[in-house]
Amino acid sequence: NTRILKVDPSSIHFPPRSHIDGSLPVISDPETERNLLEAARIISVGGDVVAFPTETVYGLGGSSLNNDSVLKIYKAKNRPSDNPLISHVSSIRQLNRKIYNDECEENVLRHIPAIYHILIDKSWPGPLTILLPVSDSSPLSKFITAGQPTFAVRIPANPVARALIALSDTPIAAPSANASTRPSPTLAEHVYHDLEGKIPLILDGGACSVGVESTVIDGLVNPPMLLRPGGFTYEQVLSVGGPEWSQCKVESRKVVAAGETVRTPGMKYKHYSPKALTVLFVPEHSDVSMEQRLLKVKNNMKNHVEHYANGKVKKVGLLTSNRFPINLIEFMQDDIKVIAASLGTCKKDIQCNLFALLRKLDEQDEVDIIFVEGIEEWEEGLAIMNRLHKAAGDHIIPF
Ligand code: TXA
Ligand code: MG
């Protein structure tokens, strides 16, 4: 009873500056328009939830202003309720109208602290999420913030996402549309796999172009912080954000103890985890030849295969990026089946393919172990390695 409706993102046209003034899109494909209107009604009138594509990952959306909708999101995902949600708006005018109850047309940025102005000018619509203070009179559901004095907000770039938010005329709370702890979905079929029977509708707008979640930044603290690396890189924050952002620090702890208060509560939980044992190989600066280094990698893989699951490993997966040859583990014993795939060689491709390939090896191929070649932690590499570290837990091998 979970329906999937197709929508064509290329048939949705937003006027320039509509992300500021809130003008509605023109939708040239009647089926896309019908399906979007139906999804918008489910959210605004029905108080229910819908999964939809954004440029980062698929989101599971419900009204940010309705407690029941927000509770439905936590329930469908089985998400701990102390992990707050991002609100998505289609325009700054909608943010003012719906979250600040302010219809005034002048000085549209007046509710947003000045420290964010250049950054949102350069990144919205797009994969950057900012924290804003919650006022006492805020109409936001208290379940959005999970007790924090701030809320998170962004304007997504995907036309399906923006049209859904604009047509429902509602700020939409949306975490990634995976079951809690699973890799985030970048295709409608990933959402169906995790949430079938738990939600009424999935809008299928094809593959997500960015492939990892948005970057979450906090400009309300000094120095400003990057809380979660994502689709907008740290280097971009430093270079385009203006003088205050040149001091921006990256939240470096990947996991914290239970019970400890953190500003990005998402850190507390197991994330992005395939069922298979995931082993991450991390490149290091080294004078040793690549041939020697790969020899060590192979020995290490062999050890894992021989000792994991009481030696009963039958299938292993390999995800390569720049340095591992795709046939790296063809040496394995004949009774071990090897499924190898390239994540890509440029960082944008690796980021885009990461979650889908982890899911394929895990859900379709059902491998016992996934070996992943990591990359250097700069530009897209920071978000990619953040997700891979969470998937691998303690199974980190330098090479
Ligand atoms: O790209 C994305 O951001 C996707 C798409 C659907 O937009 N959404 C997403 O949501 O990744 P979610 O819930 O999976 O991740 C939201 C992150 C979490 O790490 C959460 O802890 C953090 O944002 N967050 C939300 N509100 C916060 C707040 N008030 N203070 C600190 N962190 C917050
Ligand atoms: Mg998530």
Side-chain angles (χ1 to χ4, degrees), residues 77 79 176 178 184 213:
K77 277 183 63 92
R79 179 182 174 109
S176 46
N178 52 295
S184 294
E213 299 86 343

Side-chain angles (χ1 to χ4, degrees), residues 245-296:
W245 288 97
S246 63
Q247 308 298 313
C248 174
K249 297 276 172 298
V250 179
E251 175 60 74
S252 57
R253 293 172 304 167
K254 292 186 164 94
V255 183
V256 300
E260 187 182 344
T261 318
V262 283
R263 284 202 306 276
T264 288
M267 254 195 303
K268 276 203 297 203
Y269 305 102
K270 199 170 143 81
H271 259 86
Y272 314 111
S273 352
K275 282 173 284 187
L277 171 73
T278 305
V279 181
L280 175 60
F281 291 88
V282 180
E284 294 203 322
H285 291 290
S286 158
D287 296 331
V288 180
S289 75
M290 192 46 67
E291 214 179 348
Q292 291 287 316
R293 290 161 70 180
L294 290 180
L295 207 64
K296 265 180 67 186

Side-chain angles (χ1 to χ4, degrees), residues 255 277-280 304 388-397:
V255 183
L277 171 73
T278 305
V279 181
L280 175 60
H304 270 98
L388 281 172
H389 270 279
K390 289 184 181 189
D394 299 333
H395 306 280
I396 309 292
I397 318 281

